[in-house]
Amino acid sequence: MPLVDTPVRLGVQLQPQHAPYAAFRDAVRRLEDMGVDILFNWDHFFPLSGDPDGMHFESWTMLAAWAEQTERVQFGALVNCNSYRNPDLQADMARTIDHISAKNGGQGRFIFATGSGWFARDYEEYGYEFGTAGSRLDDLAAGLERIETRWQSLNPAPTREIPVMIGGKGEQKTLRLVARHADIWHSFVRPGEIAHKLEVIERWAEREERDTSNLVISNELHQRGQDFADELYDSGVRLFTLGFHGPDWDYHLVRSWLRWRDAKNA
């Protein structure tokens, strides 16, 4: 797949758990000032680590606050769960947040990153049907069609074509959705696997009659070193995400990855 070489970007995922909201507000301000490219949270209702009943905040309302608070940084969930909200509602929420984030006559900064969902407790306690991994992926496929259709009819329209980010690596369904819809593909696959996965995406793209040569490849840095990041870079990754634990945020770690990013872009 002849990917267009794009600058390296660093996205930091503020895990919305185990901290009061004031700590997140401060972290967002500091990370934007430091020069982080993208801020993410995640779309769950309970903590994924630590005390399972600890403090936790909802994704989309937090993102709307970030849209108003920030001036430059892009942002989104890593990733939204398609199961939790009607697809047309998701489209409207994304469009609204995109407009909130447009400052001084510019375009919005929201990234619509989405997936099919997996955390059973969210479904059980909030009354959603869990189904199977396959049924949730089928729902995501139908949902993405509705979301893109709704974006075309909203008044006002989104400020620009909202970039779509899809996470996962399954070759029969997920990567076909990447080929059909995504501007960014996010996964945790190792460098040696990426070329094969891109070949799968390219085969699906041919069937979908969609050009994916501008697809941005995204991968995770948490608990990984710079040698591993170099391998990911050589494999075509250009968006690097970093899971960030609070409330004692390790800003020195972020600075080290920003220096690495800047060296790659020099």
Side-chain angles (χ1 to χ4, degrees):
M1 180 180 293
L3 297 175
V4 173
D5 197 16
T6 59
V8 173
R9 292 184 292 167
L10 178 66
V12 173
Q13 183 189 47
L14 290 168
Q15 301 171 357
Q17 60 180 10
H18 305 313
Y21 189 76
F24 295 104
R25 183 184 297 113
D26 179 65
V28 166
R29 177 187 58 78
R30 292 186 63 175
L31 290 167
E32 182 175 43
D33 289 346
M34 289 169 63
V36 166
D37 298 292
I38 305 172
L39 291 174
F40 294 108
N41 60 16
W42 66 37
D43 189 18
H44 295 288
F45 304 130
F46 301 96
L48 298 186
S49 62
D51 180 1
D53 295 314
M55 287 189 288
H56 195 279
F57 291 99
E58 191 276 331
S59 173
W60 281 82
T61 43
M62 178 180 276
L63 293 174
W66 294 2
E68 188 60 56
Q69 177 185 347
T70 59
E71 298 289 334
R72 173 196 58 80
V73 71
Q74 292 184 295
F75 60 95
L78 190 64
V79 291
N80 168 69
C81 178
N82 177 71
S83 305
Y84 301 160
R85 302 161 193 87
N86 172 285
D88 295 271
L89 174 62
Q90 293 178 57
D92 204 336
M93 293 166 69
R95 179 279 311 260
T96 300
I97 289 176
D98 194 58
H99 275 267
I100 294 170
S101 68
K103 304 293 177 68
N104 302 316
Q107 294 184 330
R109 294 171 284 119
F110 179 70
I111 295 173
F112 183 68
T114 193
S116 59
W118 61 272
F119 190 37
R121 185 183 180 188
D122 284 348
Y123 288 80
E124 293 164 357
E125 296 213 23
Y126 276 63
Y128 300 113
E129 181 180 351
F130 190 51
T132 66
S135 69
R136 293 192 299 275
L137 279 166
D138 291 341
D139 290 342
L140 176 61
L144 283 164
E145 298 288 349
R146 288 174 57 182
I147 288 163
E148 292 180 347
T149 299
R150 179 61 59 183
W151 278 339
Q152 296 173 13
S153 64
L154 289 170
N155 184 14
T159 68
R160 86 287 199 222
E161 290 189 10
I162 296 176
V164 173
M165 180 179 188
I166 295 176
K169 64 177 184 176
E171 297 182 7
Q172 295 306 309
K173 291 188 176 184
T174 301
L175 295 187
R176 185 169 192 175
L177 292 178
V178 171
R180 186 184 297 165
H181 298 283
D183 303 289
I184 307 167
W185 168 51
H186 180 76
S187 77
F188 296 85
V189 302
R190 300 183 68 82
E193 299 177 76
I194 291 175
H196 168 69
K197 297 296 185 182
L198 292 177
E199 289 174 0
V200 173
I201 293 171
E202 186 172 23
R203 289 198 298 269
W204 281 125
E206 290 174 357
R207 292 186 60 173
E208 297 289 337
E209 298 182 343
R210 182 170 182 257
D211 179 11
T212 55
S213 61
N214 290 322
L215 184 70
V216 174
I217 312 304
S218 172
N219 208 298
E220 173 62 31
L221 292 174
H222 181 58
Q223 296 184 334
R224 291 171 168 175
Q226 291 191 0
D227 288 345
F228 192 89
D230 288 339
E231 292 183 49
L232 289 173
Y233 176 88
D234 291 341
S235 300
V237 176
R238 291 298 180 269
L239 172 56
F240 294 82
T241 65
L242 177 65
F244 206 40
H245 296 283
D248 298 321
W249 319 104
D250 185 358
Y251 293 104
H252 295 293
L253 177 63
V254 175
R255 289 190 184 95
S256 71
W257 284 116
L258 287 171
R259 289 193 295 270
W260 179 86
R261 176 202 67 183
D262 293 344
K264 290 296 186 187
N265 290 334

